[in-house]
Amino acid sequence: MKRKLLFCFICLLALQVAKAQRKVEFDGQASAFGSYSPDNQLPLFSGGRYIPELNYGVELDSGKAFEFEASVNIAGSVFFQPFDAASWNGNISPYRLWGRYTGKQIEVRAGLQKIDFGVATLLRPLQWFNQIDPRDPLQLTNGVYGLLGRYYFLNNANIWLWGLYGNEKARGLDASETYAKHPEYGGRFQYPVPRGEIALSYHHRTADSRTLVDAPQFEQVPEDRYGLDGKWDVGIGLWFEVSHIHKRENLGALTNQTLLNVGADYTFGIGSGLNVVAEHLIMGYDSEAVGFDNRSHITAATLAYPLGFFDHLSTIFYYNWPTADFTFFFNYEHQFNKLVGYIMPYYSPPVQQGIQENNLVNATSGPGLRLMLVYNH
């Protein structure tokens, strides 16, 4: 009897999938870029990237669907000094590879994926799983291998649960890499409040401190992360984001990390609208659970102004208070018929503490100019 019921269930599921609407899409993004940074040993940089993407979807009844995405990062670049020296780099690696089931109030996604949450935009304590650099107009980031489930309540609250495995690279503002042979796990609960929302997050991983300089060397260091963030719209946007990271081995000042961000944004009625975002980050590192013996402050701001339908200006500033270092990045974007062009002058100090540097986008010090052309198909 049980076998007959199981057989009938499989037949009904197969019939439902057979009747379902299927959708296959192939697109991609090709980019060519180059930059000049006179203060660097190899001042010229040139390269290209292509990310082809295949999407397959099956729409079932009652708002349910299966979706699959696969994409590859194909990139090559060279730093060089004309007629003197050059350093080449090339890479082909998976960029996204996941399958997802969605229902009316639930989503489950497994594979190589992007996981991103939090309310901060420039200095991000909760950037636990990606490498998004605010200065990168393409917002590229490596993914993580894992399983993510999300449930959405009718009052707009939602809960996230995840498990990760096989990820070893440092992410966000990590002080150390991850021990890839141990699973990671955690969750997040987000709840609506008057004029905004507030959320609690937790994550456990096993860190690897062997890549740290002047710190005890441990292959496996259990680590717990606690996050709290909230955002409100009270005429201007206001938010805060805090993360506390505790390692269960004594790593000196790196045993505990506390990062606190406060920020605001407002769009002024100037011309077509000038949007201003400002954030301040306090970072503390200490051997004690709640201590700030090693403390630093960073202030960041961005201004964005649309010149029209096809042109856009934006700029990002960072200021590191203890070192008095200043970072500047300007971006002029123009939409052509099938292409997008970027002109990006910048200035970066040798060490950019507290700023997420995406290893998919080269970071150089001193003044410079970067040009990029992007084609999406």
Side-chain angles (χ1 to χ4, degrees):
M1 184 65 180
K2 292 181 179 179
R3 291 183 178 179
K4 290 183 179 179
L5 289 174
L6 179 61
F7 177 76
C8 291
F9 173 77
I10 294 174
C11 289
L12 288 173
L13 181 61
L15 182 62
Q16 190 177 27
V17 172
K19 292 181 178 180
Q21 296 182 356
R22 293 176 172 82
K23 186 177 181 180
V24 179
E25 291 184 350
F26 176 77
D27 51 30
Q29 181 184 84
S31 57
F33 38 83
S35 65
Y36 175 62
S37 304
D39 288 357
N40 291 264
Q41 184 177 4
L42 300 176
L44 292 173
F45 172 77
S46 180
R49 184 185 313 278
Y50 181 51
I51 303 178
E53 180 180 294
L54 178 65
N55 291 276
Y56 175 73
V58 179
E59 295 184 7
L60 307 175
D61 294 334
S62 304
K64 301 174 183 178
F66 288 103
E67 297 173 276
F68 304 90
E69 179 178 312
S71 58
V72 180
N73 175 28
I74 306 169
S77 61
V78 57
F79 284 93
F80 63 98
Q81 171 70 49
F83 315 112
D84 185 10
S87 175
W88 296 84
N89 183 50
N91 183 56
I92 299 177
S93 60
Y95 188 66
R96 300 288 183 266
L97 184 61
W98 53 257
R100 176 172 63 185
Y101 169 78
T102 55
K104 289 183 177 180
Q105 295 175 244
I106 193 171
E107 174 188 353
V108 179
R109 186 169 59 192
L112 178 60
Q113 58 187 290
K114 171 186 170 184
I115 300 179
D116 189 30
F117 53 78
V119 295
T121 59
L122 303 173
L123 304 167
R124 306 184 56 196
L126 292 179
Q127 194 173 13
W128 290 350
F129 306 119
N130 63 70
Q131 300 167 298
I132 298 173
D133 188 330
R135 296 166 296 182
D136 175 18
L138 303 183
Q139 297 291 277
L140 299 174
T141 178
N142 289 318
V144 291
Y145 290 96
L147 175 67
L148 170 67
R150 290 188 282 203
Y151 183 81
Y152 301 90
F153 297 91
L154 296 179
N155 66 344
N156 290 327
N158 56 81
I159 187 169
W160 305 35
L161 294 173
W162 59 75
L164 311 178
Y165 186 79
N167 306 287
E168 65 179 3
K169 294 181 179 179
R171 308 174 297 247
L173 300 178
D174 288 352
S176 62
E177 295 186 346
T178 301
Y179 183 72
K181 296 181 181 179
H182 279 187
E184 307 172 59
Y185 55 86
R188 174 177 171 87
F189 179 65
Q190 189 169 311
Y191 192 80
V193 295
R195 292 182 173 270
E197 60 187 26
I198 195 165
L200 290 167
S201 305
Y202 170 77
H203 182 67
H204 175 84
R205 71 161 184 158
T206 301
D208 186 343
S209 70
R210 293 175 297 175
T211 58
L212 297 177
V213 179
D214 298 328
Q217 304 291 294
F218 294 100
E219 183 182 26
Q220 302 176 42
V221 183
E223 177 189 278
D224 297 295
R225 302 182 175 205
Y226 307 90
L228 176 66
D229 63 281
K231 186 173 186 178
W232 295 266
D233 185 356
V234 290
I236 63 173
L238 297 173
W239 61 84
F240 77 93
E241 188 172 299
V242 60
S243 174
H244 178 73
I245 304 171
H246 171 68
K247 294 180 174 62
R248 301 183 192 176
E249 298 285 357
N250 186 356
L251 297 182
L254 293 179
T255 304
N256 295 280
Q257 300 166 256
T258 302
L259 301 96
L260 170 63
N261 171 294
V262 291
D265 80 300
Y266 186 75
T267 299
F268 293 90
I270 301 174
S272 51
L274 174 66
N275 180 254
V276 180
V277 177
E279 292 184 344
H280 185 77
L281 176 70
I282 304 173
M283 298 187 297
Y285 300 87
D286 205 289
S287 57
E288 301 297 327
V290 182
F292 286 87
D293 283 350
N294 301 282
R295 182 173 66 251
S296 61
H297 295 257
I298 299 175
T299 300
T302 179
L303 289 79
Y305 185 78
L307 295 175
F309 290 109
F310 305 106
D311 298 272
H312 188 268
L313 296 175
S314 63
T315 186
I316 300 176
F317 305 88
Y318 295 93
Y319 184 75
N320 189 318
W321 292 88
T323 62
D325 285 331
F326 180 78
T327 301
F328 167 81
F329 189 89
F330 179 84
N331 181 22
Y332 168 65
E333 174 186 335
H334 177 75
Q335 298 271 347
F336 295 95
N337 187 22
K338 295 184 178 180
L339 300 170
V340 184
Y342 301 88
I343 301 175
M344 297 171 281
Y346 60 86
Y347 175 83
S348 300
V351 179
Q352 302 179 57
Q353 184 182 17
I355 302 174
Q356 173 58 57
E357 295 182 58
N358 191 333
N359 65 5
L360 298 181
V361 180
N362 74 296
T364 55
S365 60
L369 176 66
R370 181 181 177 90
L371 305 176
M372 182 163 65
L373 197 61
V374 179
Y375 173 67
N376 295 290
H377 66 83

